[in-house]
């Protein structure tokens, strides 16, 4: 089974920058869409950014222009670069892997979640 390990969370002042990393246990980028979600206390988990198997990226309106999702195949790592962070960015951030339809049908693959990493931006 695929496992995802996130790292890079911590305390960062408003306006600062932080980069989160996610390392899958295998080389999965060709068969899984990847994404970053976040969940703040008392709020529903929300999609922050995603990158498809084909490289298409999407962003939540709240982070557009400030965050960048990317992947490095050589390092087998997914990144979320967070710039100009705000207190409302405070949340636990989760890496997510979503298998393509063919992989689900042929091999029975399922979505995978990381354990989460906490990002705190004080006000």
């Amino acid at each position: 089974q695929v496992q995802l390990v996130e790292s890079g969370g911590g305390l960062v002042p408003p306006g600062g920058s932080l980069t989160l990393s996610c390392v899958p246990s295998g080389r999965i980028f060709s068969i899984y869409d990847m994404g970053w979600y976040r969940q703040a206390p008392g709020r529903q988990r929300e999609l922050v950014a995603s990158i498809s198997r084909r490289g298409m990226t999407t962003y939540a309106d709240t982070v557009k222009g400030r965050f960048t999702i990317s992947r490095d195949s050589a390092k087998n790592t997914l990144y979320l670069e967070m710039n100009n962070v705000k207190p409302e960015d405070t949340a636990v951030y989760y890496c997510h892997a979503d298998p393509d339809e063919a992989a689900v049908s042929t091999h029975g693959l399922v979505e995978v979640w990381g354990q989460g990493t906490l990002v705190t931006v004080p006000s």
Side-chain angles (χ1 to χ4, degrees):
Q1 78 244 71
V2 172
Q3 294 181 317
L4 305 174
V5 179
E6 304 106 324
S7 62
L11 181 68
V12 57
S17 298
L18 197 67
T19 298
L20 308 182
S21 299
C22 171
V23 180
S25 59
R27 303 188 70 84
I28 67 170
F29 294 153
S30 65
I31 56 175
Y32 289 80
D33 296 328
M34 305 298 298
W36 288 97
Y37 288 72
R38 68 185 181 187
Q39 187 165 24
R43 297 187 59 188
Q44 198 166 3
R45 186 173 299 187
E46 64 176 348
L47 176 65
V48 177
S50 66
I51 181 167
S52 73
R53 293 173 290 107
R54 302 157 300 281
M56 177 179 291
T57 58
T58 60
Y59 297 91
D61 289 339
T62 50
V63 308
K64 198 169 299 181
R66 300 188 296 120
F67 293 6
T68 302
I69 187 170
S70 64
R71 64 191 181 201
D72 187 326
S73 296
K75 295 181 179 180
N76 195 38
T77 302
L78 177 76
Y79 300 99
L80 182 68
E81 182 183 0
M82 307 168 63
N83 297 311
N84 190 27
V85 297
K86 305 175 180 180
E88 46 264 44
D89 294 323
T90 295
V92 176
Y93 285 72
Y94 298 91
C95 182
H96 179 253
D98 189 22
D100 69 82
E101 300 87 344
V104 171
S105 178
T106 302
H107 303 290
L109 302 184
V110 298
E111 65 178 347
V112 183
W113 291 93
Q115 84 286 352
T117 185
L118 177 63
V119 173
T120 301
V121 185
S123 58

